[in-house]
Amino acid sequence: MDLSDTPGGPHCLDQYLDQALPGTRTWTRHCPGPGPGPGTARTNIEVVPADLLLLASSDPQGVCLLETANLDGETTLKQRRAVAGLGRPATEFDPENFNCLVVCERPNDNLNHFKCYVERPDKVRVGVGIESLLLRGCTVRNTDQVLGFVVYAGRESKSMLNINRPRYKRSKLERALNRDVLCCVALLFSMCLVGAVGHFMWRRSLPGTPPYLVPDPQGSLDAPSLSAFYMFFTMIILLQILIPISLYVSIELVKMAQVFFITNDVDLYDAEWDRRVQCRALNITEDLGQIQYVFSDKTGTLTENKMVFSRCSVMGTEYPHKENAVRLAVVDEPDPDQEVVFDQRPRRRRPPGWTLAGGEEEEEEESGSGAGQRPHAAPPRSKAARSAHGDVAFSSPLEKEVVPDKALLQQIVKIDFSGGGREVDPYLDFFLALAICNTVVVSTATAQRERLSQLSSGSVSTGPSYALSSLAQKVGSLRRSLASWKPLTRGASPDSQVLAPEEEEEEEVDEEEERGRASGRSGDMDALRSCRLVVDSDEVLFEAESPDEAALVYAAKAYGFTLLARGPASVAVRLPHGERLELEVLDTLSFDAHRKRMSVLVRHPVTGEMVLYTKGADYTLMELLGSPCAEQLNDDQRSVAANCQKHLDQYAKEGLRTLCFTRKTVSEREYSEWSTLRQTALAAMDNRGAQVRDSAVHLERDLSLLGATGIVDRLQDSVPDTIEALREAGIQVWVLTGDKPETAVNIAYACRLLDEGDMVINMSSKDKRQCASMLDCTLEAVRRYPPGPDGAVTDPTVAMVIDGRTLAMALESDLQERFVELARRCRSVLCCRVTPVQKSAVVKVIRDKLKVMTLAVGDGANDVNMIQAADVGIGISGQEGMQAVMASDFAICRFKHLRKLVLVHGHWCHSRLAHMIVYFFYKNVAYVNLLFWYQFYCGFSGTTVIDIWLVIFFNLFYTSVPPIMFGIMDRDVSAETLMGLPELYRLGQGEYKSSIFWVAILDAFYQSLVCFFIPYLTYRGSDVDVFTFGTPLNTVSLFTVLLHLSIEIKAWTAVHWGVMMGSVGVFFVSILAYNALCVTCNPPANPYWTLQAQMGDPVFYLVCLLTTVVALLPRYTFHVLRNTLRPSPLLLARNLERLAPAARRRWTQGWRGGTRGAAAEGTPREERTAPGEEGPSPTWTPPRPPRDTTTNAT
């Protein structure tokens, strides 16, 4: 809201806010202190009632911790800081004396951006961003008191503007259904027009005025033309049941049942997270069976999104961390709730830090402490339950435990911590960058949120580090404090500030012991071979917004650089020898998608220098390097960038995620000039984002390279099998990722997106002309190979790898057609270095140009655009929040669940609905034609041959439940067969087509003719009344449509038998009761005792039997001949289920081998064509299993 546009100018802000939300100009939160009980911390949780500009906080630095789970699903704490320049805590802040001017942008729904400035009385403008805004719906945590200024309230708040109406998607089957309903409307108008013309001709043919035509009060009849006009609308009323209105209700009921079956599938339940699949869109379940293209994210979707520090390169030297690699290779993540817990005696408190003393004494102490104790295993809990009781995101034992590299430890030992060499030591800068160049929020065990669980007083947990302690002892790591290092007096560790008397005495004893050990071993570097890392007693908790940041902070902590506290103006790090280092934070340049990096500008407390630490993607930072430490480095060290680039390439080939770290010393003059530019950009209201970004780029240049890191992200379970099954099902799989090409290609081979036999096309160009040339040449080469049924080349299989820059050029209008044609011929495509906007653009282009059904799956906020652009969006509830889930149509926990969700449930949902819809059309047309044929014998007068109540009951009661149960319970192939033979998925996608619809309509016309004229010819010339003639018509129609459905049912169950018999029973019971009780219900006709009289006549039974057989004989004969002479693959697969298990496996292997062989050849063996020639589309007939006479059908 730009208040300068409001009446009265910006100074009317108070009046506006009082009108928007009276009484909430300022909002103060209070909560009591810690509750009773040792080791517990209880705080009241309070939700922010409006969008507040944070003015003051009870924290001395003006910091407020916020949880945004109600908005984006992220449970990690986010830091918000008060507006700079106010400078008073909440206890001293007086709202009545707040006389600053607040100008902000108009209300919008962007939760991640906020433009505002506060003009102080001295006319100085202070720029404010999202880092100072408390959003409505968020929860304030770990903050006693905050005071804010309401900027948006009510419907203008950002959270309320994000509440949109439910997103409605129409499925492909529903769109085809609407088209066929229009065809039925046209058919209805045609039949009504025939009735009107027929009535006109009948009236014209009458020689006089018949006595059964009632004249008007003046004694005259309507003209034939006017009577025909009226008859047109009469026929619409009579034949309106041709329009299947009840079909839409039946479809909704069937979809509700399908959703129930999907959500209660045990195979789609994840016990680790205690979550099941979620169906957030109830109207597109059948689209899961029509998927042709799958677009997937990589990180968190194909991988676990558990970033584990693997190796690093510092100043051109590579440290492979072999011991850490061994841990990652042989140790699976332990379950903290399945650890062995011992009743331990209290240990002596040791000062935090490292020591070079041998580990024998402590090993004996540790082994002795557990001697004679019985282990007790805690009952296992799900990960969701553990998360609800205190587990912090990205803090599993696998992610937290890092085994240091011995060579790198030796380099850290050489660092001079006395103050003389700090400004030049690159290793110190490297680990400081790892520890502080992030947005990690730090908390301790004594300041956890209310949702954290508290340890019971009767048990002591050893923590997740206990499970890996034995391995850490074998591979070696660093102990607490180096005995030869004397901690500085300034900035002492907070752990040693307040001690009980008993602890003070133990502390003095420990210090004497340490001094004694140090006198005998000072300077002995060989002791590093037996060093061991000791975890601090008061372990800090790191709450990161991304797993990458958490992995780097834990890696820094493993080497002794522990992040202790973070505030808006300072950050505290504990150095390896125990000193607490306080660095003044001058500014933080946040990460954005354009720069691909973040920076933090700090002032070193000892040297007084201003240092800019930058972390980001290697391809962006390498371009910003200046002359790295030119004055201080020798000739060997000038090759740091070249060596580091080699290491980065090696990391990428191994599938690691890479990041680079740089530093830059900023002079006072440069900072003064840049600060003015920065404040101007922050206070700008127009084009603020670009100005802020330009100000950051202005400072991030001439950087000095420190090193790089490699982080491993392991594949999820069964990802290769899932991708292979999707490809065998005829689905083309694309992976869209922001990783560099080398890393993405390595992961693609690991997950079988790319095979060794694939012809891989690498698309990477620097300009548009080169991109166009590459597209033309590649298309010319690929066109020489014949395409498969889906357009993709299968001999050989073609895959494409394209980077983001080339993709942006290929998606331009003049190159788009060529790119789409090339992509259509590729079995799989890997897009690297793509942005979220490019992800959605790719999905839209492929969906619109190729007219295919697309599915997008992702787990993070950067996948939301792609998920919403696809026909079916699937979100994975991972560790990056719930944005993708909230924007998706279906939510799963693991990528492997996509296999059964699509191949089994998708096939079933589409097949059941398609057959049910076709049956509904057939049923309505077959029944309404009985009324239409009778019009030819009643002068097209609109008379009904069947009682009007029975016409209503026919669709409402007699034939409503069987097709619904058919759509819910029918199963053409079992789940095991569909999972074992993914090829059946593509073969089942043509269940509903226009040709099938019109064949059903023609069959309905034929059956209606038989059902009408056989009874007509039987009763012609007799004296039966109209309802006596209509009773066999109604009965024959019921038997015909029900037996027609029996032919279509593939899997009979007790439910099918029940509804069939129930429909017939309800039919006869209701009509017998109606004919017995209703004497004058429909005068002048009299339905009394009609069916009772018919059931006593043998002719009635003969007519019903003969008519039903003649009506269904063509369809039954067609099914028999087709299933005998040319059975479909689905029928053959259904026959496989009748074989013994051993025979079934043998035939399944032969089937899959035959399909793969035919797919590899691209055309049938007897119809192979030369490259470049047009040949018939490849088909392959699976082997027909023999009839099994030894086993019964299951």
Side-chain angles (χ1 to χ4, degrees), residues 1163-1178:
T1163 56
R1165 295 174 177 83
E1166 63 274 14
E1167 297 181 356
R1168 288 190 62 85
T1169 56
E1173 296 182 4
E1174 291 293 336
S1177 58

Side-chain angles (χ1 to χ4, degrees), residues 118-190:
V118 177
E119 184 176 323
R120 297 185 303 193
D122 55 0
K123 302 303 179 181
V124 175
R125 292 184 177 182
V126 179
V128 180
I130 193 66
E131 67 279 354
S132 299
L133 185 66
L134 308 183
L135 296 177
R136 172 178 176 171
C138 297
T139 305
V140 177
R141 304 255 188 200
N142 288 12
T143 307
D144 295 333
Q145 183 181 7
V146 296
L147 190 144
F149 188 90
V150 177
V151 289
Y152 305 127
R155 294 184 178 180
E156 293 184 348
S157 61
K158 290 181 176 291
S159 59
M160 293 296 293
L161 292 176
N162 274 273
I163 300 178
N164 300 323
R165 294 181 178 179
R167 189 166 49 96
Y168 181 77
K169 286 185 178 181
R170 290 194 307 165
S171 65
K172 183 179 180 180
L173 188 60
E174 185 179 351
R175 294 193 296 267
L177 168 64
N178 294 337
R179 178 198 62 206
D180 293 337
V181 168
L182 294 178
C183 294
C184 288
V185 173
L187 181 61
L188 173 63
F189 274 85
S190 301

Side-chain angles (χ1 to χ4, degrees), residues 282-303:
L282 305 181
N283 57 330
I284 60 171
T285 54
E286 65 273 20
D287 273 351
L288 290 172
Q290 296 286 288
I291 301 302
Q292 297 166 278
Y293 280 76
V294 169
F295 299 89
S296 173
D297 179 38
K298 183 186 75 68
T299 304
T301 303
L302 302 180
T303 61

Side-chain angles (χ1 to χ4, degrees), residues 556-590:
K557 180 184 176 184
Y559 285 93
F561 295 82
T562 304
L563 181 64
L564 296 179
R566 179 184 299 277
S570 65
V571 59
V573 178
R574 182 163 57 223
L575 298 180
H577 67 298
E579 178 191 1
R580 180 186 176 99
L581 184 65
E582 294 275 355
L583 296 96
E584 179 187 358
V585 178
L586 302 177
D587 208 330
T588 301
L589 311 181
S590 303

